[in-house]
Amino acid sequence: MPFLAAAFPQSVFVLVHREPALALASAAAAWESGDAVTHPELPGWEGPPWSLPLTPEWRRLAGEPLPEVVVEQWRMASRILLDDLDRLPPARWCVVDAG
């Protein structure tokens, strides 16, 4: 997000809030379907092909069951997103509920 904020200084970021249980179920389904693979041959990763965002601490998830991987991936991505938003002036972002 810092790159986008700098590249587009007039931009406003919209965080779409979704209930965590629904987001986690969707992420797990994406992993299980194989339709959201982003890193098919990630070195050192022996689980299913990595899907969705590659989070900074992915290596420590090696060998964990898929539900644990999905939860930690969501947690890390959410933490990074919220930290990035916190660095922006409040006028540059807003939150909407996915309903």
Side-chain angles (χ1 to χ4, degrees):
M1 190 178 315
F3 171 79
L4 292 173
F8 301 98
Q10 301 302 318
S11 63
V12 175
F13 294 86
V14 179
L15 170 62
V16 179
H17 173 266
R18 191 168 177 214
E19 286 302 317
L22 296 174
L24 291 168
S26 293
W31 272 83
E32 291 168 352
S33 73
D35 291 338
V37 172
T38 53
H39 294 78
E41 296 182 25
L42 190 59
W45 182 255
E46 295 187 16
W50 191 274
S51 296
L52 305 170
L54 183 63
T55 52
E57 299 172 17
W58 65 269
R59 286 177 183 85
R60 73 175 178 80
L61 299 173
E64 295 292 334
L66 185 57
E68 181 69 19
V69 172
V70 170
V71 167
E72 284 302 303
Q73 180 185 42
W74 176 85
R75 187 191 64 75
M76 285 186 259
S78 295
R79 185 195 70 213
I80 292 166
L81 172 66
L82 293 173
D83 287 349
D84 285 351
L85 286 175
D86 195 42
R87 290 183 187 99
L88 290 175
R92 294 226 28 216
W93 63 279
C94 65
V95 179
V96 297
D97 187 25

